[in-house]
């Protein structure tokens, strides 16, 4: 299965929620349409009359309300040809004008959410996530069948609904229900409507637009965990209990190890013996030593010892697990501050990264957690876990939109290799089901 296919299947709850919602929206107010339409690649300055055949080359227009617009927008697939084809799938309107090839294999090198220097891994140091993937404009050309059927006319008309206020409201509600948050949902739908108001859109066309908007928001935050030449690079891992800190440390350690790095883990949640044991299990799996201390002992003292050991061994990386007891914020803040104070005696620049691990199943609550942890620690990046098995994946879009913190990786399962680098286009496509 292609990487995209895997991510899509892991995000199935979120994507099926959005897909089902879109089907319902278009079904509700739409009508069968045999006229060729097509989504304008970019907003046009004035609304286009609904019956106009798609322009061969619509002029890209600026999107005033889109703050994180990338310098170069990937033009959307524009199909100059009529594109009405028989529906091969179960959905009411399964044929977008730009027909994504269903099983387009995306060849990817082994991917990790780490920014690893070029000599260590095949990927480039500055862009480990930049895997050559065809852009939608290149890849979404209609397939042979689509072209043949599109040209010859279709027996099954495509359902389309006119983009009006009612439809926009329904779209907003859908995105809010998918945990994108009100502000982000409003911004996304406004951008989708820009220059397209009054046009008739099919489900695949809406998915495509939505996916493009989501990717646009996520693009600036998709950054792998940077690796520095500093030895040891200290990564402090924070997050509430159960968010997936231990699991994420284990997965990261395994990936670093596989990349030839010498890793040390410090089990800094000394308050829970079970947490320490669990970290040891992950350390064993990853083949990485885990430093522990007796239950109830001072985590800062353990961190200091771990720092000493990591320095003595010339370790590349020291990952420090921490407690996540938000019930007593003051204690937690003091505990984290003390850990930082102590390791800075060894290296004034440490910690070099403070990763906040968030559980996607908590939905909008993840936003509160970011705010809280930003007050407790100097959060430098996020890892979002449990994106598999939740319909709340949209929260990642809200997080990116609201905080702009780097998203280093996403957890999509409980196994050691279920930590994927964060790729905005793949995520957007998987979330919206736009390239199924
Ligand atoms: N499905 C799924 N489960 C995950 C993922 N990441 C972690 N988990 C599970 O979430 C549960 C909690 O994960 P932990 O790593 O123990 O979380 P923690 O933040 O260390 O929790 P404490 O030790 O209580 O502080 C475990 O059962 C993990 O297997 C993920 O990406 N997907």
């Amino acid at each position: 299965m292609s990487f995209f296919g895997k991510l899509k299947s892991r995000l199935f709850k979120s994507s099926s929620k959005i897909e089902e919602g879109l089907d319902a929206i278009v079904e509700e107010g739409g009508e069968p349409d045999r006229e060729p339409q097509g989504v304008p690649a970019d907003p046009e300055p004035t609304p286009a009359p609904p019956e106009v055949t798609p322009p061969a080359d619509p002029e890209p227009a600026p999107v005033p309300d889109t703050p994180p617009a990338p310098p170069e927008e990937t033009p959307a697939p524009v199909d100059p040809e009529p594109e009405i084809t028989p529906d091969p799938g179960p959905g009411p309107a399964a044929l977008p004008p730009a027909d994504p090839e269903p099983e387009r294999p995306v060849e990817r090198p082994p991917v990790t959410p780490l920014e690893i220097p070029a000599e260590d891994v095949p990927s480039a140091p500055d862009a480990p996530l930049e895997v050559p993937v065809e852009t939608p404009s290149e890849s979404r050309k209609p397939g042979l069948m689509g072209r043949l059927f599109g040209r010859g006319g279709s027996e099954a008309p495509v359902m389309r609904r006119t983009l009006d206020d009612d439809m926009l409201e329904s779209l907003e509600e859908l995105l809010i229900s998918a945990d994108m948050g009100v502000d982000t949902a409003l911004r996304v739908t406004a951008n989708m409507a820009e220059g397209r108001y009054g046009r008739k859109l099919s489900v695949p066309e809406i998915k495509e637009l939505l996916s493009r908007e989501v990717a646009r928001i996520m693009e600036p935050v998709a950054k792998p965990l940077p690796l520095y030449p500093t030895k040891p690079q200290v990564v402090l891992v924070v997050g509430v209990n159960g968010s997936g800190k231990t699991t994420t440390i284990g997965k990261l350690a395994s990936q670093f190890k596989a990349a030839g790095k010498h890793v040390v883990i410090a089990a800094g949640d000394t308050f829970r013996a079970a947490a320490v044991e669990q970290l040891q299990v992950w350390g064993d799996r990853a083949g990485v030593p885990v430093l522990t201390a007796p239950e109830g002992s001072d985590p800062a003292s353990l961190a200091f010892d771990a720092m000493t050991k990591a320095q003595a061994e010339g370790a590349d990386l020291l990952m420090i697990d921490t407690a996540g007891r938000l019930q007593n914020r003051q204690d937690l803040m003091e505990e984290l501050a003390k850990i930082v104070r102590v390791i800075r005696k060894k290296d004034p620049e440490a910690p070099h990264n403070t990763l906040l691990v968030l559980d996607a199943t908590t939905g909008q609550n993840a936003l509160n957690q970011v705010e809280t942890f930003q007050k407790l620690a100097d959060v430098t990046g996020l890892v979002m876990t449990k994106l598999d098995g939740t319909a709340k994946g949209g929260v990642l879009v809200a997080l990116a939109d609201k905080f702009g913190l780097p998203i280093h990786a996403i957890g999509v399962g409980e196994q050691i290799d279920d930590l994927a680098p964060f790729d905005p286009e793949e995520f957007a496509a998987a979330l919206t089901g736009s390239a199924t």
Side-chain angles (χ1 to χ4, degrees), residues 315-369:
D316 297 298
L317 226 97
L318 169 62
M319 287 197 276
I320 304 176
D321 192 13
T322 62
R325 301 174 315 278
L326 265 193
Q327 304 86 317
N328 191 334
R329 262 175 227 203
Q330 194 56 36
D331 279 1
L332 185 56
M333 190 189 292
E334 280 165 19
E335 188 176 309
L336 292 175
K338 190 171 174 193
I339 291 175
V340 169
R341 229 175 21 248
V342 159
I343 56 177
R344 282 191 179 155
K345 286 185 185 164
K346 292 270 177 187
D347 178 353
E349 304 290 319
H352 305 92
N353 311 90
T354 301
L355 289 193
L356 172 59
V357 177
L358 297 166
D359 173 349
T361 63
T362 60
Q364 290 294 294
N365 196 264
L367 295 152
N368 303 334
Q369 288 177 25

Side-chain angles (χ1 to χ4, degrees), residues 218-233:
M218 309 307 275
E219 194 76 46
V221 300
K223 293 179 185 150
L225 180 66
L227 277 191
Y228 308 114
T230 316
K231 284 190 182 191
Q233 175 173 337

Side-chain angles (χ1 to χ4, degrees), residues 239-248 251 269 272 275 278 321-322 324 385-388 411-414 418:
V240 300
N241 283 338
S243 63
K245 294 185 298 296
T246 307
T247 312
T248 300
K251 291 170 178 175
D269 186 358
R272 287 202 328 115
Q278 204 194 350
D321 192 13
T322 62
T385 65
K386 308 185 199 177
L387 272 168
D388 56 306
V412 289
E414 296 186 79
D418 286 334

